[in-house]
Amino acid sequence: MSCQKASHRMRIQTAIFIGIAYCLCGCLDRQPKDWVDAGRLPGVWPDYNDVTIPPNIAPLNFLVKEHGDRYYIQIRSTLGRPVEVCSRSGAIKIPIKQWRQLVQSNIGQDLSIEVYVQASDGRWQRFMPLVIHVASDPVDRYLVYRLIRPLFMYVGRMGLYQRDLTSFAERPILLNTATGGNCINCHAFHNYNPDRMILHMRAGKIGTYMLMAYDGQVFKVDTKTEFNHATSYRCWHPDGRTIAFAFNIVRQVFHARGQTRDVYDRASDLLVYDAIGHRASTSVQISSPRRMETYPEWSPDGRFLYLCSGPALEDVNGMPEPHKAMRYDLMRIPYEPQSRTFGQIEMVLNTSQMGLSAAHPKISPDGRYLLVCISDCTYFPLYRPESDLYLLDLSTGRFSKAENINSAQAEGYHCWSSNGRWVIFSSKREDGECTHLYLCYFDKDGHFHKPFLMPQQDPAYHSMQVVVYNLPEFLKAPIRMSPRALVRAAWSKRILKTTLDPTVASRLRQPVEDVPYTSLGTR
């Protein structure tokens, strides 16, 4: 009798298990045997067809945008066991272990994704297979970015996050809910090293300071001197000690029609900061009273500082549309690391003469290529729908719009991977408002491949969340500094005060008058 009861319980448990599996998977059968050919590619989102991926990327989960009651997906390649996924909703979540095994077995090969959709009458359709190319070059495992809301004037909830690109693990580095609701921004790392990091805090109860994590210690730094305001845009020198900063008086302007927002500077210059001695210095070449310099970027060998340079505000103020005359050229200046001195500034791209404006220059780790945002005017590309990424070959001087990666919406901040084979960039291509992150392969012949949206565990995540991904930066290892240590330093009363190089102090310029931004139409 007991054996009969046990057998009965086992049958019930088996039936329950099968029922749960049926509900979760949406189908029990393997690959459908009877189907009709749709004769076209399936509608999927994100669009992962014909993209090139690193061999260590997380699964490319996606949504099938075809009406149906059941969905069957098979991912196969030359080697390894195919991966099968069933769904009732069209949300395809690929098992991470099976995905890794298949991708790692087929480095340098293609993956084929076959999509089957069952209609309400029980008939199956098979669509033309999606193709994914697996590159042999891996991407840096970790990525840091800021997540904010698409706000105009007010600081909302925001934070810095670290993402493991080989999985879907994301953790906060610092949230502004722990720092008094202030603005946290302008993070940067030395040579993909998580142990040397800076970020800025602005306003709120804490005030405007820089946090600098340096080899296990955290410092709260006041970067203001009698020469400069608090610093902002930044770049570490390869020596791991020197940081180039911009310091700006930033204003936002709203237009009555068309693109409603723009950002402009009332003043902007560059300085060089010594992270060990906490001293700031500059040169008239990079802090000219007749120009506005911003977006510093060191060459990988540390021998040049690249920057964007635009006209002073008084040179355009009073024009019918002053912001359209604010066009930034790409320039560079030689730098001698031993003596910490600059040479003579020189033009790299005279974009203003082309009727264009340059922003965010980023040089590939091998020093050959420079990727830069180009828009019609100003230096804040994400507010310019026409902003595109352009590639400059520094060895030949060839300058052209980067192939395959631009869209009808704004492309913005970007970062090279440490091996120079991958670029991640922010784009508003999905809806024109929110920026999302796209990864793109850059092959050894200097060609970009079709970019793909950073994968998420929930493939509907990007369509459900109203967020802005900001300032993506690759890392070779995870950040070891705890959020608690950063918060403790942020609230600390112990503040390192930046001193000014005496040679700069001796030639201080007059403070910039805080005059309104005007046009002929507003006078």
Side-chain angles (χ1 to χ4, degrees):
M1 186 70 177
S2 60
C3 291
Q4 290 178 341
K5 288 183 178 180
S7 177
H8 181 65
R9 282 198 302 269
M10 185 175 295
R11 286 196 296 270
I12 292 175
Q13 290 171 351
T14 301
I16 292 173
F17 175 79
I18 292 174
I20 293 173
Y22 184 86
C23 292
L24 292 177
C25 297
C27 58
L28 291 177
D29 299 329
R30 295 296 87 189
Q31 184 176 7
K33 295 180 175 57
D34 297 319
W35 44 264
V36 295
D37 193 344
R40 61 178 176 86
L41 290 170
V44 299
W45 190 88
D47 177 13
Y48 287 140
N49 184 49
D50 198 31
V51 300
T52 301
I53 63 170
N56 58 335
I57 196 69
L60 302 190
N61 295 338
F62 61 93
L63 299 172
V64 179
K65 309 295 282 186
E66 301 285 349
H67 292 294
D69 288 349
R70 296 180 185 176
Y71 303 84
Y72 171 85
I73 310 298
Q74 186 180 89
I75 309 172
R76 61 170 60 248
S77 189
T78 306
L79 301 173
R81 184 177 179 180
V83 178
E84 297 174 297
V85 182
C86 296
S87 171
R88 277 190 173 274
S89 66
I92 306 303
K93 298 181 180 181
I94 305 167
I96 191 167
K97 184 177 180 180
Q98 296 177 42
W99 166 266
R100 285 175 177 169
Q101 290 174 344
L102 184 64
V103 172
Q104 288 294 320
S105 299
N106 292 279
I107 292 175
Q109 304 296 320
D110 291 344
L111 304 181
S112 175
I113 302 180
E114 293 184 350
V115 176
Y116 296 78
V117 178
Q118 187 182 45
S120 57
D121 60 6
R123 291 189 297 179
W124 287 91
Q125 265 192 319
R126 189 185 78 167
F127 293 83
M128 295 172 61
L130 306 172
V131 177
I132 294 175
H133 315 288
V134 182
S136 58
D137 302 293
V139 70
D140 296 302
R141 180 171 179 174
Y142 297 97
L143 184 71
V144 171
Y145 43 77
R146 183 174 69 154
L147 280 180
I148 60 176
R149 301 292 180 184
L151 301 175
F152 287 178
M153 296 293 291
Y154 299 100
V155 175
R157 181 173 179 173
M158 66 175 65
L160 295 182
Y161 293 83
Q162 175 184 279
R163 165 70 187 268
D164 183 345
L165 290 174
T166 68
S167 69
F168 301 107
E170 181 187 72
R171 73 171 183 88
I173 299 169
L174 182 64
L175 302 178
N176 74 338
T177 52
T179 56
N182 61 348
C183 179
I184 51 179
N185 59 10
C186 296
H187 54 278
F189 301 87
H190 168 243
N191 196 28
Y192 309 94
N193 179 5
D195 295 331
R196 294 186 181 180
M197 171 183 71
I198 56 172
L199 63 91
H200 287 82
M201 306 178 295
R202 303 191 187 281
K205 295 179 180 179
I206 288 179
T208 300
Y209 296 98
M210 177 177 74
L211 286 183
M212 180 173 65
Y214 200 94
D215 295 348
Q217 299 184 73
V218 187
F219 304 95
K220 183 178 181 180
V221 183
D222 181 1
T223 59
K224 298 185 295 293
T225 73
E226 59 267 38
F227 174 69
N228 60 279
H229 303 280
T231 53
S232 56
Y233 310 121
R234 67 291 164 264
C235 184
W236 286 82
H237 189 274
D239 66 9
R241 172 174 179 166
T242 307
I243 309 172
F245 282 114
F247 55 98
N248 319 59
I249 302 177
V250 184
R251 293 293 183 268
Q252 190 171 197
V253 62
F254 292 85
H255 305 296
R257 60 184 179 180
Q259 174 61 27
T260 57
R261 291 172 290 169
D262 264 312
V263 169
Y264 72 96
D265 283 345
R266 291 185 176 177
S268 177
D269 287 311
L270 302 185
L271 61 81
V272 173
Y273 174 79
D274 180 1
I276 303 297
H278 307 293
R279 173 174 286 190
S281 184
T282 191
S283 162
V284 69
Q285 298 285 325
I286 59 172
S287 57
S288 168
R290 301 305 306 166
R291 301 285 293 178
M292 290 197 288
E293 298 87 4
T294 191
Y295 291 142
E297 181 74 13
W298 295 104
S299 60
D301 61 6
R303 309 295 296 187
F304 288 93
L305 178 64
Y306 287 75
L307 60 123
C308 296
S309 175
L313 182 60
E314 53 264 32
D315 292 339
V316 299
N317 218 7
M319 293 183 178
E321 295 179 287
H323 71 286
K324 290 187 177 180
M326 291 181 176
R327 296 190 175 100
Y328 286 73
D329 298 315
L330 179 62
M331 310 186 84
R332 73 176 186 179
I333 185 169
Y335 179 73
E336 176 48 57
Q338 299 300 322
S339 62
R340 304 172 68 83
T341 56
F342 288 99
Q344 294 297 311
I345 198 163
E346 58 191 52
M347 183 72 71
V348 178
L349 284 174
N350 197 340
T351 44
S352 62
Q353 291 299 310
M354 306 175 198
L356 300 171
S357 187
H360 298 312
K362 298 291 178 180
I363 304 172
S364 60
D366 63 4
R368 177 172 176 179
Y369 295 99
L370 185 147
L371 194 61
V372 61
C373 289
I374 299 293
S375 59
D376 288 347
C377 57
T378 74
Y379 73 99
F380 209 78
L382 281 178
Y383 283 178
R384 307 298 310 174
E386 76 282 357
S387 172
D388 283 326
L389 292 170
Y390 280 66
L391 187 68
L392 172 64
D393 187 333
L394 294 172
S395 66
T396 65
R398 185 176 184 272
F399 175 65
S400 61
K401 184 181 292 189
E403 57 182 340
N404 295 327
I405 65 176
N406 291 301
S407 70
Q409 297 294 339
E411 325 301 339
Y413 191 90
H414 47 280
C415 177
W416 294 89
S417 64
S418 62
N419 60 9
R421 295 276 73 90
W422 299 94
V423 167
I424 191 162
F425 64 96
S426 54
S427 175
K428 288 187 174 181
R429 65 187 60 193
E430 293 300 329
D431 57 16
E433 290 296 332
C434 295
T435 57
H436 298 288
L437 299 182
Y438 284 78
L439 280 155
C440 182
Y441 185 55
F442 185 71
D443 64 35
K444 59 182 177 59
D445 296 321
H447 300 296
F448 287 104
H449 294 226
K450 180 180 176 180
F452 63 95
L453 187 63
M454 183 176 71
Q456 299 287 351
Q457 187 167 25
D458 181 357
Y461 172 85
H462 289 291
S463 60
M464 296 188 301
Q465 299 294 323
V466 183
V467 294
V468 170
Y469 283 82
N470 192 239
L471 297 181
E473 294 283 349
F474 286 115
L475 289 179
K476 293 180 179 178
I479 293 175
R480 286 174 277 270
M481 186 64 63
S482 70
R484 180 176 296 180
L486 293 172
V487 171
R488 188 164 51 244
W491 288 102
S492 174
K493 299 298 183 182
R494 184 180 180 184
I495 301 169
L496 293 176
K497 177 64 179 175
T498 301
T499 60
L500 185 64
D501 185 332
T503 61
V504 177
S506 66
R507 52 181 174 80
L508 284 177
R509 65 180 185 180
Q510 294 297 316
V512 176
E513 183 182 358
D514 197 18
V515 295
Y517 171 93
T518 61
S519 68
L520 290 177
T522 59
R523 287 186 170 182

